[in-house]
């Protein structure tokens, strides 16, 4: 189980990312469409930099839905590998086949 503080930090980052998503996206479009005037691009870039650092989508980290584990997550199930394996073995995930060799 992950520490509660790390899980809460991720939740706060997700809220900030959703809040500033449209602002950041429009600023990036403005930069790409702006003419090659250096001053204009620097001004738009400053506006983009004024948003909080944690509002960037790249800073989000996918975590396990049940345990909060930050590593070995499967996007389809939103679970970490060992939890996914346990659920497949107990037949809680329909359609998933367990491997045996």
């Amino acid at each position: 189980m992950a520490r509660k503080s790390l899980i809460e930090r991720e939740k706060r980052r997700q809220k900030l990312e959703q809040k500033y998503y449209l602002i950041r996206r429009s600023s990036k479009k403005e930069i790409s469409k702006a003419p090659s005037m250096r001053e204009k691009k620097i001004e738009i870039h400053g506006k983009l930099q004024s948003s909080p650092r944690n509002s960037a989508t790249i800073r989000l980290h996918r975590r396990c839905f049940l345990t909060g584990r930050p590593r070995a997550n499967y996007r389809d199930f939103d679970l970490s590998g060992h939890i996914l394996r346990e659920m497949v073995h107990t037949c809680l995930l329909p359609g998933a086949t367990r491997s045996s060799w």
Side-chain angles (χ1 to χ4, degrees):
M1 187 77 175
R3 292 191 325 222
K4 298 288 184 188
S5 61
L6 296 178
I7 294 172
E8 291 302 317
R9 184 187 305 166
E10 283 296 321
K11 287 180 183 177
R12 276 183 271 142
R13 283 182 181 162
Q14 287 176 351
K15 287 179 187 175
L16 268 177
E17 191 268 333
Q18 290 173 356
K19 181 178 177 181
Y20 287 94
Y21 177 75
L22 293 175
I23 297 169
R24 292 182 70 87
R25 190 175 71 176
S26 65
S27 296
K28 288 181 181 183
K29 281 185 180 179
E30 285 180 33
I31 288 176
S32 65
K33 290 181 180 179
S36 61
M37 296 186 323
R38 185 173 169 88
E39 295 83 21
K40 182 68 175 171
K41 283 191 176 185
I42 289 175
E43 179 184 327
I44 298 169
H45 187 69
K47 186 174 122 182
L48 183 63
Q49 291 294 319
S50 66
S51 62
R53 184 178 285 179
N54 282 334
S55 67
T57 55
I58 197 72
R59 292 179 70 96
L60 292 178
H61 204 283
R62 196 179 320 108
R63 289 187 171 267
C64 177
F65 177 70
L66 293 176
T67 61
R69 181 177 160 85
R71 298 182 182 200
N73 288 315
Y74 289 86
R75 291 182 190 179
D76 298 336
F77 302 103
D78 229 8
L79 296 169
S80 61
H82 71 283
I83 298 294
L84 180 70
R85 186 171 188 271
E86 288 175 6
M87 291 180 81
V88 168
H89 281 288
T90 56
C91 299
L92 294 175
L93 289 175
T97 57
R98 57 184 178 184
S99 62
S100 58
W101 60 88

